Amino acid sequence: MESVYAMDTFFYNSLGHYPFEVRCEMLRELGYDAAYLTLWDEQAWTDLEKLPQVKDDYGLDIAAVYAVLDVTLPKEHTEAAKIVAMLETIQGCSRVELALTMGDSRYVPSDPDGDRLALEWLSYLLQIAERRGIQISLYHHVFFWLERWEDAHRLISKLSHPLLGMTFSSFHWYAVDGTKLNEAVSACLPYLHAVNICGSRKLPPGGLPASIECIDQGELDLFGFLAALKKHGYCGPLGFQGYGMGGDTYSHLERNKKALKLIEDRLAKHPNWLLA
């Protein structure tokens, strides 16, 4: 892969969270290529100011900044305005991942009747992205309006903008559907800015539809998943998802790096070991 990064979801657990600087130190020591920032609390918004120094201080790139945008909000709303201001001013990172919601429950997940609102917002944000040279990657997310990769694909096809693409998440694909992998990868490939993965197994109703685990655990065949990416020619950034895993962050990140190396070695040795 072009580069390997860890989403900062790994660094939060029931005891608290690791400061941004500690996260970068761990990632550097473990040989990762990039860090990642999720804008989900006030501290994370403050950490935006630290991004320009990450390359010099830790030798890491910033794979992306992740934000959730409610496309039913007017642009002057406080939460929406923060995202606009972030795009206008961000330094040290050239890609923003956007998950799209409909906060007033006007539309159910994947309802194409919501496309108008999403396209209006994206057209506006892409004008800023053009000035700043920033890629916008749509992020499909279970339970959100933009829930499936098909939703991202539909919006991208309608706008056809060179800076608009998508991130494909093995977890959110598997949790929502988990079928037709080759069809999904083939359709998304022209627009893929990044892929993130984790081990997963289906869970009983009542919470998340699937688990998030290290990549050598779970029932999702990540060797088969990565083989499909390779088959279709994807070689861009690869991230690890760690939301809700808890436990020893460093050990999880180390384990994933080692497991990925074993999978990549096996793929190189047996390029024809593909899922039917």
Side-chain angles (χ1 to χ4, degrees):
M1 295 297 172
E2 176 185 285
S3 66
V4 179
Y5 65 93
M7 298 174 72
D8 57 347
T9 49
F10 279 95
F11 297 100
Y12 291 76
N13 59 45
S14 60
L15 298 180
H17 67 273
Y18 288 96
F20 184 79
E21 293 81 3
V22 175
R23 301 174 213 170
C24 291
E25 289 176 9
M26 285 191 191
L27 294 171
R28 176 179 61 187
E29 185 168 306
L30 288 166
Y32 281 82
D33 300 302
Y36 185 96
L37 183 63
T38 301
L39 298 177
W40 55 7
D41 59 21
E42 287 306 313
Q43 181 57 56
W45 282 93
T46 301
D47 288 338
L48 275 171
E49 301 174 2
K50 303 173 183 177
L51 300 189
Q53 290 300 119
V54 170
K55 187 68 171 181
D56 288 341
D57 291 349
Y58 305 100
L60 298 170
D61 295 320
I62 301 297
V65 167
Y66 170 95
V68 179
L69 174 64
D70 180 350
V71 295
T72 67
L73 296 178
K75 296 177 180 63
E76 61 271 15
H77 188 281
T78 302
E79 294 304 314
K82 285 173 69 174
I83 292 175
V84 173
M86 178 268 291
L87 277 172
E88 290 276 17
T89 60
I90 191 171
Q91 301 289 336
C93 178
S94 59
R95 191 168 69 85
V96 171
E97 294 185 339
L98 278 184
L100 304 183
T101 64
M102 299 272 185
D104 62 1
S105 301
R106 194 181 315 177
Y107 302 104
V108 298
S110 300
D111 185 349
D113 285 345
D115 285 10
R116 178 184 61 82
L117 292 172
L119 292 170
E120 287 177 0
W121 256 109
L122 289 171
S123 296
Y124 174 69
L125 295 177
L126 283 166
Q127 295 176 46
I128 302 172
E130 287 175 0
R131 296 198 302 270
R132 304 292 325 288
I134 296 171
Q135 289 184 319
I136 295 179
S137 308
L138 297 181
Y139 193 101
H140 59 113
H141 192 296
V142 64
F143 302 141
F144 285 14
W145 173 76
L146 200 156
E147 185 177 50
R148 308 171 67 98
W149 67 264
E150 293 95 333
D151 303 328
H153 189 277
R154 185 176 70 249
L155 294 173
I156 293 166
S157 298
K158 288 182 176 181
L159 279 177
S160 189
H161 193 286
L163 291 176
L164 182 64
M166 65 182 294
T167 296
F168 191 94
S169 169
S170 74
F171 169 74
H172 293 289
W173 161 76
Y174 184 69
V176 172
D177 187 341
T179 65
K180 301 178 181 177
L181 176 60
N182 279 294
E183 177 184 314
V185 174
S186 177
C188 294
L189 186 67
Y191 313 113
L192 275 185
H193 291 165
V195 173
N196 66 56
I197 62 174
C198 65
S200 296
R201 68 187 78 232
K202 293 297 177 73
L203 297 175
L208 286 175
S211 63
I212 294 175
E213 307 178 38
C214 286
I215 67 169
D216 58 352
Q217 296 178 303
E219 62 189 15
L220 174 59
D221 178 5
L222 284 173
F223 174 82
F225 183 92
L226 292 171
L229 290 179
K230 184 173 182 179
K231 169 188 174 182
H232 290 282
Y234 180 77
C235 57
L238 182 73
F240 295 135
Q241 169 64 270
Y243 179 80
M245 286 180 63
D248 182 347
T249 295
Y250 188 98
S251 294
H252 294 326
L253 293 172
E254 184 176 40
R255 179 172 178 169
N256 270 3
K257 275 287 251 115
K258 290 179 178 178
L260 179 63
K261 178 64 164 58
L262 291 173
I263 290 174
E264 289 181 329
D265 288 348
R266 202 182 335 148
L267 281 171
K269 185 177 181 181
H270 302 287
N272 62 322
W273 285 9
L274 300 169
L275 292 167

